[in-house]
Amino acid sequence: MTSFDSSPTLNAWRALLALAVVFVMLATSGWTAIRANAADSAPRTAALAAWARGTMDGHPLPKPDATAYQLGRFFHSLDTAEQNDLADRYPLVVGNLNGAPVPLRYRANRVALTEARAVEQKRMVDTRLSADGRQDASRRMHRFDSLLDDGRQILAFDPSDSGRVAEVFGDLDHAQRVSVIVPGVDTNVLTFEKSDRRNSAPVGMAQSLYAAESAAAPHTRTAVIAWADYTAPAGLGIDAAVGKMAEDGAVRLAALVRALPGSTPVELFCHSYGSVVCGVSTRQLPPRVTDIAVAGSPGMRVGSAAQLGTEARVWSMRDKDDWIQDVPYLDVAGLGHGADPVSPAFGARVLSAAGAIGHPGYFEPGTASLANFAAIGVGAYQSVVCAAGASGCGSGISDRSAA
């Protein structure tokens, strides 16, 4: 007979209660929700409708959900003037088409950002909006203005709702290795970059990793993508505790990776809820993804690395001061994200995160966490530093860097 204290039903309820308590604790200690865009518009929906009616030399335009190969063939059948014409007429479509030439996407997204900035400038002085609404418009206008700075390479942009965006650092078309940073909760167009604690935002993370990779292997051509092109949970509500948004994000992440130019190795660096996205995506990813590294992970929605079903090497790290360790690592009726990726039983290669200083600090210069990411990013696997008690995390791998 099962005692009351060890009842499976009671234990499940205890686990759910513990999870709820931790979420409340974390929500009151800094992980707060970002208010959605008051305009709640969907300009890309209108752009897709216009694209569906459009033609080129009397022929219908390809479907936006065609494969990257099909879209690539279409664009390469056009001359430069025809490509630019499409980018200028349908910027919110062309700028987000996996398979379109990378420089053309950069051009299209500059057009889309210019148009989106003009919309927000008008909203800033629209007396029909509340003071909060006008302030929101001001923040968005300044963000779009920043994204339009000279030299920025915006690979994806959608101003709808809270916004999605991705940016490239380096030469994506000619890179020998490509790193993709997948951020977590509260990621949107406004939090894509920050002036305060800059390396806790996707842009700062990517810039920091790109610089560290360049220092680690000066002769290896790398590119780093700050990928905030999925709808992340806002705050620590139920969306952060379940996998629906991760599933949607995983589809978009896999589509991005399948469409990247060339056939060079790709590494994923997944922070916080971003590691849930990466975990769900593994069975959809192409073989060119050689490494998946997670930091500050609440789980990858599996019980072990083997259950991810990928040939990619799986790495994990967690700083000793990261509050994510207080989240119960469980999966009860879809609530929670599974086993702890730094536990020995999970089976990942566990790396040192010395110096990271808590949950947002993994990409800070001078930390073991960033040095380890850079070593993986350039293929210098013998340079990784294992976590205490996890010696041999880099064993059985040959260096692939060109340094």
Side-chain angles (χ1 to χ4, degrees):
M1 182 174 179
T2 303
S3 71
F4 181 74
D5 285 343
S6 62
S7 161
T9 301
L10 179 60
N11 287 338
W13 278 108
R14 282 175 171 167
L16 288 170
L17 179 60
L19 191 64
V21 169
V22 170
F23 282 169
V24 170
M25 179 186 71
L26 298 179
T28 58
S29 64
W31 198 9
T32 56
I34 300 295
R35 188 175 62 87
N37 174 26
D40 196 31
S41 59
R44 190 162 183 263
T45 300
L48 288 168
W51 174 273
R53 298 189 299 268
T55 60
M56 174 61 70
D57 294 331
H59 299 288
L61 299 175
K63 293 183 178 180
D65 59 356
T67 67
Y69 174 75
Q70 292 170 328
L71 290 168
R73 286 189 61 186
F74 166 73
F75 279 102
H76 283 98
S77 73
L78 307 177
D79 61 30
T80 300
E82 290 171 326
Q83 290 184 4
N84 290 342
D85 177 60
L86 287 178
D88 294 342
R89 287 163 57 197
Y90 309 104
L92 278 176
V93 178
V94 175
N96 294 282
L97 283 181
N98 290 317
V102 169
L104 189 67
R105 291 181 66 171
Y106 296 161
R107 176 192 177 103
N109 285 319
R110 287 195 68 82
V111 175
L113 278 161
T114 300
E115 293 177 352
R117 179 179 60 182
V119 169
E120 299 303 333
Q121 284 177 321
K122 291 180 179 178
R123 292 183 63 232
M124 286 171 58
V125 294
D126 189 339
T127 56
R128 295 171 298 177
L129 297 179
S130 66
D132 285 346
R134 293 192 295 274
Q135 185 178 36
D136 178 75
S138 176
R139 288 195 297 265
R140 287 168 63 88
M141 189 278 291
H142 287 295
R143 171 61 64 243
F144 299 158
D145 197 47
S146 174
L147 292 172
L148 280 165
D149 283 349
D150 290 343
R152 299 195 71 165
Q153 302 177 136
I154 306 303
L155 186 66
F157 171 67
D158 183 356
S160 304
D161 302 318
S162 59
R164 296 196 294 254
V165 62
E167 183 172 8
V168 175
F169 297 87
D171 185 347
L172 187 58
D173 276 327
H174 300 100
Q176 294 171 294
R177 300 182 70 91
V178 177
S179 299
V180 181
I181 293 176
V182 183
V185 163
D186 282 344
T187 297
N188 55 52
V189 74
L190 290 179
T191 61
F192 186 58
E193 56 185 334
K194 298 177 182 178
S195 54
D196 183 36
R197 298 169 68 187
R198 60 184 301 275
N199 295 322
S200 67
V203 167
M205 292 177 180
Q207 290 175 324
S208 187
L209 180 59
Y210 183 60
E213 288 181 349
S214 298
H219 301 295
T220 299
R221 296 190 307 274
T222 63
V224 178
I225 302 174
W227 189 78
D229 193 26
Y230 82 105
T231 302
L236 285 176
I238 191 65
D239 285 337
V242 298
K244 178 62 173 67
M245 286 186 166
E247 292 168 3
D248 295 343
V251 172
R252 299 183 66 84
L253 176 61
L256 165 83
V257 175
R258 288 195 299 266
L260 290 175
S263 56
T264 53
V266 174
E267 304 82 37
L268 305 183
F269 297 94
C270 321
H271 178 245
S272 195
Y273 188 86
S275 67
V276 186
V277 177
C278 290
V280 176
S281 74
T282 51
R283 295 182 186 277
Q284 308 170 57
L285 295 173
R288 68 186 295 190
V289 176
T290 58
D291 298 272
I292 301 171
V294 302
S297 173
M300 300 180 76
R301 299 199 70 77
V302 291
S304 69
Q307 293 177 3
L308 291 170
T310 178
E311 295 298 317
R313 287 172 288 271
V314 180
W315 310 79
S316 65
M317 66 171 69
R318 185 173 65 219
D319 179 67
K320 61 182 178 61
D321 297 319
D322 191 337
W323 49 251
I324 204 75
Q325 64 191 306
D326 296 323
V327 172
Y329 287 91
L330 49 76
D331 181 357
V332 179
L335 186 64
H337 301 303
D340 183 355
V342 302
S343 67
F346 189 82
R349 298 170 182 264
V350 184
L351 297 163
S352 171
I357 311 178
H359 192 64
Y362 293 96
F363 291 84
E364 289 294 335
T367 60
S369 51
L370 178 62
N372 278 326
F373 284 160
I376 293 168
V378 300
Y381 299 109
Q382 298 309 305
S383 299
V384 299
V385 177
C386 305
S391 60
C393 65
S395 63
I397 317 172
S398 299
D399 275 11
R400 292 289 185 268
S401 97

